[in-house]
C-alpha cells in the first residue's frame, strides 16, 4: 500500500455517461496529480493541484474536469468521453511540486464503449 | 511531449543476472527519477538523482547520471523474478508541473 487509494478500480462507461474518479491520500501531501497511461505511450500529466489550487492543465479536453475540495481528495469528473479516452488513470501525490512524486495510487482502468 | 526515452524497450534476463536500463533526455534538468510499475498498477518511486549528483545507490539499485551526455542508467544487481516490471525514468526541469516520463523498459526476469 502506498497511501494513495483510487476508486473505482475498474470502470466501463458509454460515451454519453457521466462518471467520476476518486483519489484519496492520507500522507499529508499538499500536491496531487492526475496522469493518463495509454497502451504503449508515456504517462501523460493531466492536472496538478498544489495546496488545492490547480497549477497545471496540460491541454486536457474539457470533457475531463478535475476537482480538489481539500488536500487529501482529488476527483476527475468524466463527461461525454470518447473511446480513445480508454486508459489507466493514475493519481499521484507529493509533499509539494518540487520534490518528485512521492506516491501513486493503483489506478482506475477506464473503458469507454 | 516526451522527455525521457528509455532503452531497451524490453529486456529479458535470467534470475541472478544484472539488468541495465538507460534513459536519455533532451533538455537540462533539475533532477531525474526512476519508477517501477507492476502490470496494470500504479508506479512506485525508486530513486531520485539530482543534476549535481553522479551516482546513487539504494539496495540492489544503482543509478548514474551523466548530464554532459543527458543520460542516466539504472542497474539492478542480482535480479529476482519479483523485479519483473516496467521501469520508467522521469525528468524534472523546474518542478513536478513539467515532469515528463519516458515510455519505459519492460524487464522480465526468468526464474
Amino acid at each position: 500500500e502506498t497511501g494513495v487509494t483510487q476508486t473505482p478500480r475498474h470502470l466501463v462507461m458509454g460515451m454519453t455517461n457521466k462518471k467520476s474518479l476518486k483519489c484519496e491520500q492520507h500522507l499529508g501531501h499538499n500536491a496531487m496529480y492526475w496522469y493518463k497511461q495509454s497502451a504503449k505511450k508515456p504517462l501523460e500529466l493531466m492536472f496538478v493541484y498544489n495546496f488545492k489550487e490547480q497549477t497545471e492543465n496540460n491541454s486536457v479536453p474539457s470533457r475531463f474536469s478535475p476537482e480538489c475540495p481539500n488536500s487529501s481528495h482529488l476527483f476527475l469528473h468524466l463527461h461525454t468521453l470518447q473511446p480513445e479516452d480508454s486508459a489507466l488513470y493514475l493519481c499521484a501525490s507529493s509533499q509539494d511540486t518540487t520534490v518528485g512524486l512521492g506516491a501513486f495510487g493503483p489506478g482506475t482502468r477506464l473503458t469507454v464503449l | 511531449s516526451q522527455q525521457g526515452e528509455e532503452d531497451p524497450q524490453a529486456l529479458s534476463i535470467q534470475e541472478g543476472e544484472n539488468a541495465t536500463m538507460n534513459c536519455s533526455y533532451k533538455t537540462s534538468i533539475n533532477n531525474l527519477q526512476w519508477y517501477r510499475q507492476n502490470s496494470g498498477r500504479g508506479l512506485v518511486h525508486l530513486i531520485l538523482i539530482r543534476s549535481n549528483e553522479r551516482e546513487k545507490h539504494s539496495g540492489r539499485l544503482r543509478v548514474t547520471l551523466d548530464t554532459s551526455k543527458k543520460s542516466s542508467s539504472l542497474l539492478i544487481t542480482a535480479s529476482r523474478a519479483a523485479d519483473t516490471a516496467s521501469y520508467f525514468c522521469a525528468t524534472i526541469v523546474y518542478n513536478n508541473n513539467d515532469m515528463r516520463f519516458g515510455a519505459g523498459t519492460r524487464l522480465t526476469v526468468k526464474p
Side-chain angles (χ1 to χ4, degrees), chain B residues 67-102:
Chain B
T67 53
S68 66
K69 295 181 180 178
K70 292 186 170 58
S71 67
S72 173
S73 67
L74 170 67
L75 169 67
I76 303 175
T77 60
S79 64
R80 305 167 182 167
D83 294 328
T84 294
S86 291
Y87 291 83
F88 298 87
C89 70
T91 56
I92 290 180
V93 177
Y94 296 108
N95 58 39
N96 292 354
N97 288 13
D98 57 53
M99 176 184 282
R100 295 294 180 264
F101 285 83

Side-chain angles (χ1 to χ4, degrees), chain A residues 10-12 29 32-33 37 45-46 48-49 53 60 63 68-69 75 77-80 87 89 96 99 102-103 109 113:
Chain A
H10 299 271
L11 178 61
V12 179
H29 288 168
M32 297 185 76
Y33 311 77
Q37 187 175 33
L45 178 64
M46 300 176 72
V48 181
Y49 278 83
E53 296 296 321
V60 180
R63 57 186 183 270
C68 188
F75 295 89
H77 303 300
L78 314 173
H79 175 51
T80 321
Y89 288 84
D96 58 50
V99 295
R109 174 66 64 187
L113 301 176

Side-chain angles (χ1 to χ4, degrees), chain B:
Chain B
S1 61
Q2 185 175 339
Q3 164 76 311
E5 293 187 16
E6 294 93 339
D7 84 274
Q9 291 187 332
L11 179 62
S12 182
I13 59 174
Q14 293 295 134
E15 207 165 27
E17 294 180 340
N18 295 342
T20 300
M21 289 160 274
N22 303 297
C23 170
S24 60
Y25 56 91
K26 299 183 177 68
T27 65
S28 296
I29 60 172
N30 182 302
N31 67 62
L32 184 145
Q33 301 163 63
W34 284 91
Y35 291 83
R36 187 183 81 186
Q37 184 181 33
N38 289 86
S39 183
R41 305 293 298 275
L43 278 71
V44 175
H45 182 261
L46 297 177
I47 288 185
L48 180 152
I49 186 165
R50 300 189 187 281
S51 59
N52 60 354
E53 298 175 311
R54 292 296 167 257
E55 188 171 311
K56 285 190 83 169
H57 297 255
S58 177
R60 294 183 295 112
L61 306 180
R62 182 171 78 98
V63 168
T64 62
L65 179 65
D66 187 334
T67 53
S68 66
K69 295 181 180 178
K70 292 186 170 58
S71 67
S72 173
S73 67
L74 170 67
L75 169 67
I76 303 175
T77 60
S79 64
R80 305 167 182 167
D83 294 328
T84 294
S86 291
Y87 291 83
F88 298 87
C89 70
T91 56
I92 290 180
V93 177
Y94 296 108
N95 58 39
N96 292 354
N97 288 13
D98 57 53
M99 176 184 282
R100 295 294 180 264
F101 285 83
T105 292
R106 176 68 189 168
L107 173 67
T108 302
V109 181
K110 300 175 184 176

Side-chain angles (χ1 to χ4, degrees), chain A residues 2-113:
Chain A
T2 64
V4 180
T5 59
Q6 289 185 241
T7 55
R9 294 294 307 276
H10 299 271
L11 178 61
V12 179
M13 59 187 289
M15 294 168 61
T16 58
N17 291 157
K18 287 184 182 181
K19 296 287 184 183
S20 295
L21 309 185
K22 178 182 177 181
C23 175
E24 188 171 353
Q25 59 92 6
H26 298 286
L27 301 167
H29 288 168
N30 297 304
M32 297 185 76
Y33 311 77
W34 280 116
Y35 277 87
K36 175 183 178 183
Q37 187 175 33
S38 305
K40 301 187 189 306
K41 291 177 67 175
L43 269 75
E44 300 172 56
L45 178 64
M46 300 176 72
F47 301 104
V48 181
Y49 278 83
N50 195 27
F51 292 93
K52 300 190 297 180
E53 296 296 321
Q54 185 174 316
T55 60
E56 180 76 10
N57 176 340
N58 200 23
S59 302
V60 180
S62 60
R63 57 186 183 270
F64 294 92
S65 174
E67 179 189 1
C68 188
N70 55 61
S71 293
S72 299
H73 294 85
L74 184 65
F75 295 89
L76 187 62
H77 303 300
L78 314 173
H79 175 51
T80 321
L81 294 192
Q82 305 297 313
E84 59 264 31
D85 297 322
S86 298
L88 182 68
Y89 288 84
L90 294 163
C91 174
S93 70
S94 62
Q95 187 61 44
D96 58 50
T97 58
T98 66
V99 295
L101 300 174
F104 274 83
T108 294
R109 174 66 64 187
L110 173 67
T111 302
V112 182
L113 301 176

